[in-house]
Amino acid sequence: MADTSSPPTDQLAVTTLDDEVPKAQFSDRVPIRSIISRPDGGSGLAGRKARVGGWVKTGRKADKDAFAFLEINDGSCAGNLQVIVEASLGELGQLVPTGTCVVVDGHLKLPPAGTKQKIELRADKVLHVGPVDPAKYPLPKMRLTLEFLRDFVHLRSRTNTISAVARIRNALAYATHTFFNKEGFLYVHTPIVTTSDCEGAGEMFQVTTLLSEAERLEKELLQNPPPTEADVEAARLVVKEKGDVVSQLKAAKATKPEIGAAVDQLKKAKESLAKVEERSKLKPGIPKKDDGKVDYGKDFFARQAFLTVSGQLQVESYVCALSSVYTFGPTFRAENSHTSRHLAEFWMVEPEIAFAELKDDMNCAEAYVKFLCQWLLDNCLEDMEFMADKFDKGCIDRLKLVASTPFIRVSYTEAVEILEDAVKNGKKFENEVKWGIDLASEHERFLTEVKFQKPVIVYNYPKEIKAFYMRLNDDLKTVAAMDVLVPKVGELIGGSQREERYDVIQSRYTCIPEAFSPLLMTRLVNDPHRGRVQMLWITVRSNALKPG
């Protein structure tokens, strides 16, 4: 019978296998990926021994309960390994339910001709079983909605979709670091908690201890009410009495020990008075200043603090010393929106390049996107094929297109002219097309999916719709900014060349609101041209922020 309890700590390590498939570096089992993801599908390993561990995706008894077929997945790849277990090795009823955890030793064998598997494992021994209750296990074999899975955070990574997303995100994160390190960039860690409002939009999550302190104080005051004015007056009277005693002893020329003892009593009375007075001022609620504003001097950082919306301000100081840097980490936006383009939490890549111009910025962005697309094709094809089958039929074709096709580059003015011509020829857009607008998603997708049918970089935007710190072009109407647009998405990357001319940015500063002055002071550094590539990363809405 199978051991359904937790095995001794050394049980899995004690058993040794001869002629076995190479194991994982830090485990006594063989990752399923190293078996079925081989070019031959694992058939070349027939006859070899292997120990595998994982979770049952599907299981069924066969031949009048003489044995069971188990489809096991360990998360190392999208595919499952079929394991055949005879009834003599364990209680099949415990093995077949979806979600069961198993560890088995066995021999890899070629399956009968005509089956979809290239290799299967015939179990010799069941080392461990982590049973589940089929009536309570919440993930059935049927396809589940992503919204449903949000209620099962601890189990959703066992689904094909979430595990594929995890592997794809891992691949893209690794590819990001690989690309920038290969190109000579340094990875800079910027703060997640900051006192700077980088974009001045007022859409930040605040970090504070004032609320918890207010709740703690309110509870304490209920249990131990603050001193009344009478209590304070009584404490003051005690101080006066002790002071009079000291004065009398000094006037009577008492001994030093006597005077010293009286002074000690006076000090204790004053300390007690200070505590009583301080406690009498305690009031429930958030601490306020005399003008009624919140007193952030009582907060943890003694000032307002927020979750960062961007590491841009900090990384800009590094680029002026290290030349090519990037930051890659979580950022947060408190926008009251539940669309796929407005997320509460997401990861963002923000490279900065010194001694560079807008064309260098565009070259970096294009190379980066192509590198990531090719990386997915080379390293995550199985997961991308799953995504193509279940969610987006054309995703692999688009990856190939982006990875192999030079990006089209058009100025903003040229892009608007193309859109205006489309309108004249009968194309209807929900958003009006005219020079000076911020291009909407429908405009961006028309350029990439209809007009050019490939990625497009739009550059030189009107200065009125871009940040004041972007370099003013010679036409005095546009700035050196660019957006990378891709099919099915629209804008993927935004970047710009920074204004390095002190007199120019100073003249532009007179035309912007005074509220931006803290931002300006971080940028009024007469340094070389600096381009920035900013990528909105693959994102997942925080589960804690579920609507409703």
Side-chain angles (χ1 to χ4, degrees):
M1 295 292 290
D3 179 13
T4 59
S5 61
S6 297
T9 55
D10 61 345
Q11 178 177 330
L12 299 184
V14 167
T15 307
T16 58
L17 301 173
D18 297 325
D19 300 324
E20 60 190 13
V21 181
K23 303 171 185 174
Q25 183 68 29
F26 303 109
S27 176
D28 200 41
R29 65 176 180 84
V30 178
I32 291 176
R33 174 188 176 91
S34 64
I35 298 175
I36 66 174
S37 295
R38 290 161 46 103
D40 61 5
S43 60
L45 298 175
R48 306 284 294 276
K49 292 183 178 181
R51 172 174 296 163
V52 299
W55 296 267
V56 175
K57 286 284 189 177
T58 62
R60 62 182 178 88
K61 299 178 185 179
D63 195 17
K64 299 181 179 180
D65 297 350
F67 59 88
F69 291 102
L70 308 179
E71 293 284 331
I72 295 179
N73 184 278
D74 65 359
S76 61
C77 63
N80 306 322
L81 177 66
Q82 179 167 279
V83 178
I84 302 174
V85 183
E86 296 180 357
S88 60
L89 299 179
E91 175 55 54
L92 300 186
Q94 285 191 328
L95 292 173
V96 296
T98 297
T100 302
C101 178
V102 296
V103 180
V104 300
D105 283 345
H107 284 79
L108 293 167
K109 293 189 175 182
L110 296 175
T115 59
K116 65 178 182 178
Q117 295 87 5
K118 298 292 181 66
I119 195 73
E120 62 186 16
L121 182 74
R122 185 170 292 274
D124 297 326
K125 185 176 183 180
V126 177
L127 298 175
H128 173 73
V129 178
V132 300
D133 184 348
K136 296 181 179 180
Y137 190 70
L139 302 182
K141 300 176 185 179
M142 67 185 70
R143 185 173 179 179
L144 304 171
T145 66
L146 297 179
E147 189 65 23
F148 174 84
L149 293 177
R150 291 171 70 132
D151 291 327
F152 301 97
V153 180
H154 64 301
L155 293 174
R156 62 182 178 181
S157 54
R158 293 191 185 183
T159 64
N160 294 333
T161 298
I162 301 301
S163 60
V165 169
R167 287 187 292 268
I168 291 170
R169 286 191 62 151
N170 171 74
L172 290 174
Y174 186 79
T176 292
H177 291 299
T178 300
F179 173 82
F180 285 110
N181 277 272
K182 181 174 69 73
E183 300 299 339
F185 286 71
L186 292 180
Y187 180 30
V188 176
H189 299 82
T190 54
I192 293 176
V193 178
T194 176
T195 58
S196 300
D197 185 354
C198 180
E199 298 192 353
E203 297 167 344
M204 306 177 73
F205 287 105
Q206 188 167 346
V207 178
T208 180
T209 58
L210 291 181
L211 295 177
S212 58
E213 279 297 307
E215 291 176 354
R216 182 195 63 77
L217 178 60
E218 184 175 2
K219 183 178 180 180
E220 180 186 337
L221 292 178
L222 287 174
Q223 297 174 345
N224 185 16
T228 63
E229 185 58 36
D231 296 328
V232 177
E233 192 59 37
R236 289 173 182 160
L237 183 59
V238 171
V239 171
K240 184 178 183 305
E241 291 174 350
K242 299 297 182 182
D244 291 343
V245 171
V246 172
S247 298
Q248 292 171 3
L249 289 173
K250 288 182 178 180
K253 297 183 179 180
T255 63
K256 286 185 177 181
E258 290 176 325
I259 295 175
V263 169
D264 288 340
Q265 291 294 319
L266 176 60
K267 288 181 179 179
K268 291 179 181 179
K270 288 182 176 180
E271 290 174 356
S272 179
L273 172 61
K275 292 179 180 179
V276 170
E277 288 180 330
E278 181 180 3
R279 186 167 175 76
S280 69
K281 297 176 182 178
L282 295 177
K283 296 179 180 179
I286 304 296
K288 301 288 184 65
K289 297 180 181 178
D290 294 338
D291 59 4
K293 295 181 179 180
V294 175
D295 184 3
Y296 286 104
K298 306 291 186 182
D299 208 349
F300 185 87
F301 295 106
R303 67 185 71 181
Q304 279 186 288
F306 308 92
L307 295 179
T308 183
V309 299
S310 170
Q312 179 184 157
L313 291 181
Q314 289 84 3
V315 81
E316 280 184 344
S317 65
Y318 278 84
V319 74
C320 293
L322 304 176
S323 298
S324 294
V325 296
Y326 73 104
T327 181
F328 177 30
T331 53
F332 308 85
R333 305 291 170 93
E335 297 184 18
N336 189 19
S337 174
H338 299 299
T339 72
S340 61
R341 297 178 68 86
H342 295 85
L343 299 168
E345 176 183 353
F346 57 94
W347 280 56
M348 185 157 62
V349 181
E350 295 179 288
E352 298 271 352
I353 313 168
F355 309 104
E357 297 180 341
L358 186 63
K359 62 179 177 60
D360 304 302
D361 200 5
M362 292 189 286
N363 290 340
C364 178
E366 179 174 345
Y368 173 58
V369 174
K370 286 183 173 181
F371 185 87
L372 260 60
C373 291
Q374 190 61 52
W375 189 277
L376 287 180
L377 292 170
D378 293 342
N379 299 280
C380 266
L381 186 58
E382 184 180 18
D383 287 312
M384 291 309 305
E385 287 173 341
F386 170 81
M387 292 297 177
D389 179 52
K390 302 298 183 183
F391 296 99
D392 186 347
K393 302 297 182 184
C395 63
I396 293 179
D397 291 336
R398 287 199 308 279
L399 286 177
K400 293 178 179 179
L401 171 70
V402 174
S404 61
T405 305
F407 292 8
I408 295 293
R409 300 189 183 188
V410 298
S411 70
Y412 169 88
T413 300
E414 292 170 328
V416 169
E417 290 173 351
I418 292 171
L419 295 170
E420 288 176 335
D421 287 341
V423 171
K424 291 177 183 177
N425 292 326
K427 173 65 178 176
K428 295 184 181 298
F429 293 110
E430 292 183 6
N431 298 274
E432 182 184 6
V433 176
K434 64 178 181 179
W435 199 95
I437 64 166
D438 198 359
L439 298 181
S441 294
E442 59 176 337
H443 303 145
E444 296 168 344
R445 293 187 61 178
F446 177 85
L447 293 172
T448 58
E449 297 171 23
V450 179
K451 176 62 178 178
F452 296 110
Q453 299 182 2
K454 62 179 65 176
V456 178
I457 300 181
V458 179
Y459 61 93
N460 289 347
Y461 279 82
K463 64 181 181 180
E464 287 78 12
I465 62 173
K466 291 296 182 179
F468 68 91
Y469 50 77
M470 297 181 180
R471 195 177 199 275
L472 186 65
N473 290 324
D474 293 340
D475 60 11
L476 304 182
K477 297 192 304 181
T478 61
V479 291
M482 67 89 187
D483 289 332
V484 177
L485 315 178
V486 296
K488 285 282 281 188
V489 175
E491 180 187 348
L492 182 67
I493 292 177
S496 71
Q497 180 179 337
R498 298 294 195 255
E499 182 62 77
E500 85 287 356
R501 297 165 296 183
Y502 184 85
D503 57 331
V504 174
I505 196 170
Q506 193 173 40
S507 65
R508 295 194 66 197
Y509 172 59
T510 61
C511 302
I512 63 174
E514 185 177 351
F516 283 92
S517 58
L519 280 175
L520 179 65
M521 298 313 296
T522 67
R523 306 188 190 281
L524 287 183
V525 182
N526 194 18
D527 275 325
H529 305 322
R530 291 172 289 156
R532 177 171 67 83
V533 183
Q534 182 184 78
M535 177 163 182
L536 299 183
W537 192 244
I538 289 181
T539 50
V540 177
R541 185 181 294 277
S542 171
N543 192 63
L545 301 177
K546 179 180 177 182

